[in-house]
Amino acid sequence: MSELPLVIENLTFRYRSRNEPAIRNINLRVQPGQVVLIAGASGCGKTTLIRCINGLIPRSYKGELTGSVRIFGQDTRGLSLARISQMVGTVLQDPERQILGSRVINEVAFGLENLGLPREEILRRAQEALERLKIAHLRDRETFNLSGGEKQKVALAGVLAMRPGILLLDEPLASLDPASAQDALRMIRQLADEGMTVILIEHRVEDVLAIHPERVLYMSDGEIKFDGTAEQLADYVDYREVKLPAPMILNLAARMAPPPEPQWLPSGREGQREPLVEFQGVHFGYENGMEILHGVDLTIYRGDIIAVLGPNGAGKTTLIKHAIGLLKPKRGRVLIRGRDTRQMSVAEIASTLGYVFQSPSHMLFAPTVYEELAFGPRNLNHDPETIRKEVMEAIEIVNLKGYEQIPPLSMSFGQQKRVSIAAILSMRSRILVMDEPTAGQDYKNYISFMDSILQMPGFEAILFITHDVDVAIRYANRVLLVNEGRVVADGTPEEVLSDLERLETCRLVPTSLLRLNLDYLPSTRRFLSAEVLAHFSLA
Amino acid sequence: MLVTWRYRPRKSLIQSFDPRAWIIFFLCYIACTVLFWDLRYLLVLFGMALVAVFTSGIKWHEMRRAWLFIGGFIFFFSFLTLLTGRGGIELYKEEHVIHRLAAGFTLFGWRPTLVLSAERIAYAVAMMVRVFSLASMTILIPYSLNPALYGVTFRGLGLPDKVAYGMDLTMRFIPSFGRDFQLTLDAQRARGYELEKISGGLFAQVRKLAPLIVPVTIHAIVASEDIIDAMDLRAFGVGPRTWVDELHYRPRDRALIAFGVAMLLCSIALSLWGFGKFWVPEFLLQLAQ
């Protein structure tokens, strides 16, 4: 295998259903043992490029393909998907969409079974892959009961067992808590150091830079606009488009005029702590008898902007589903403005508390974005003129103006996510609850819609679940740490996030922005974004 | 992601057999049950189903929902059969009326009348026992068959690799569909949608179900595409595949298969000789006199 692992020449691809090429004129030569990071906004062509390399284009996705992809010297046009899959392993964005086996061992062995290898060899190679990723103890576990981080490792083990020379990873960190993401990255670095070529698409650029990728590509409009080292990246890309490490932003933003300090609404009335939602000794468990929430006491007050942080499987979503009445406590009670959720229908609660689900694909159904956004307010019996106003406002906030008549189901994941947020915004509930609003979104987009949502008048409180500590730093005035079904910390971001030891027990990793803020805290007395910090001097 | 039924290893009669042996026995049992209408024969088969249920080791709370749904469904339709007499007319020519209840009003000159005959009662009871027997045996399968062995079980039954793996995915697709439906229902309820308040004509009602049907269907299609991509990316279908799990018949498995096949052959023979046809108990006929 003296040939280069990957050589792409003049590659252009247009999907059959689109008029414009998704990628154009891509040229790339990758050395063995390199980690190549591909960054870029949603829809820039990153995933299409990955599909061209792993052979899904043109075999599964039809269209017009010109140029060539050579893997270890062999042109992929002449190879079967089975042959390519032995040289190129692909881990898709969401491990849930990739895992087929019902048990871990079946999942890891799947590819080898398809190649018809002898059973002993399959078991040996599967065991090797499990041990390499330190998950041999999961061998006989059911895959759907694994945590997000474990699923990601199992998906990776299934690919590694086939011993590919090139590993393609499409946003592997999207669904992981920070500690699991760090584990995954360390593993990726180790694989590259052992000689594997790794091509990694990731929005969380800052996290990937920690493992020192040899090369960073920046794609925009289907083209590679930058191809260089991580250090050069800061000089080329706009720090408002790609999330760079905070010290880099600090240097860049210091050269700009100080940004206006944003005023987040909602705000509480001075000196008044009006309770909106109260959890009183809430216990909850599913039918299998395992308790998930163990006596949660929590009050959401008017003016709160709460970030809920915690590891995968900590009970964050279960907790929040109690607030909208989708789950009722086994013991204890939840009060919305003093009324027990057991005595209220979900629809009744929805007029007070709007809940944005994690996955947009479970709610989008209407023929147009406008109709999708009008659905909630219509259910709440708002009058037509008010609905029109509410819908147009919501569209503007999520930056989808001009898309009113487009079917939401034909949009990209990132756009669908924004439609799902707008669909709740248009209901004008007094309290807004969002489950992972920034997951799978590119930096520029989520900063833009989070800024807009938090400056939107009318909300009395906002609560969001996130894995991104920086989102909590930037937007929250209160942070809840949830771990193993309990609220383990509740306070201002400065109080909660300063305790690095406690963060570690909740599988959170201090980001460069958090560290920077801790350095600046004596001067600033509160957490700020890197752009604002750039204009402060250290005390 | 595909989820699985609520299987867990249990010390039970059904799980003591090789899954292929149990599937063969199950198919023989189904065929035997549909051959008979005689309540005496059906009660024997129902007894066998009850043995399987009571030795399955599945707790009532695990199966409660399934039983309440299926049981309610069976009772409702059996009762409807009893009231209307529909379905049994192919099995009996004459009816011995036990009680006739005429409505105190007429509809366009027709007086609705409820006829309770010995044949209708015997037919409704036979149908109920028959369907309960089939349901009891079927309900056990998702709880008792190891999902990791679905594929190799169907392969072992002689299906080609691709079809066997397809069956494996299909078996797991059903509970996954249920989970997606619940997620969608929750998401729409959070937007003020109330399934209970759907009203209007048939078409209007179907249209109002769109917020549930469309996302669930689209999600199913997208999930299938993901599954196909994931399979393609790991060389599925390129040639004969090795199944990492192995199944071995033991003497007890062979005995179960032999018992199932013998039971089926006997049932066919009895049926051909005219046994097991619709039967009305004597005491019901006497009630009619």
Side-chain angles (χ1 to χ4, degrees), chain B residues 2 9 13 66 91 108 129 165 173 181 203 232 240 245 259 272 278:
Chain B
L2 293 174
L13 180 70
L91 301 174
F108 306 109
V129 172
Y165 202 79
F173 187 74
F181 186 85
F203 285 109
D232 281 345
D245 288 298
F259 175 66
L272 288 175
F278 181 61

Side-chain angles (χ1 to χ4, degrees), chain A residues 61 107 113-114 117 144 372, chain B residues 4 229 234 241-242 244:
Chain A
Y61 298 86
E107 171 58 24
E113 289 180 309
N114 294 333
L117 298 180
F144 70 90
E372 191 70 61
Chain B
T4 56
D229 279 357
R234 283 191 287 158
R241 111 189 262 283
T242 310
V244 79

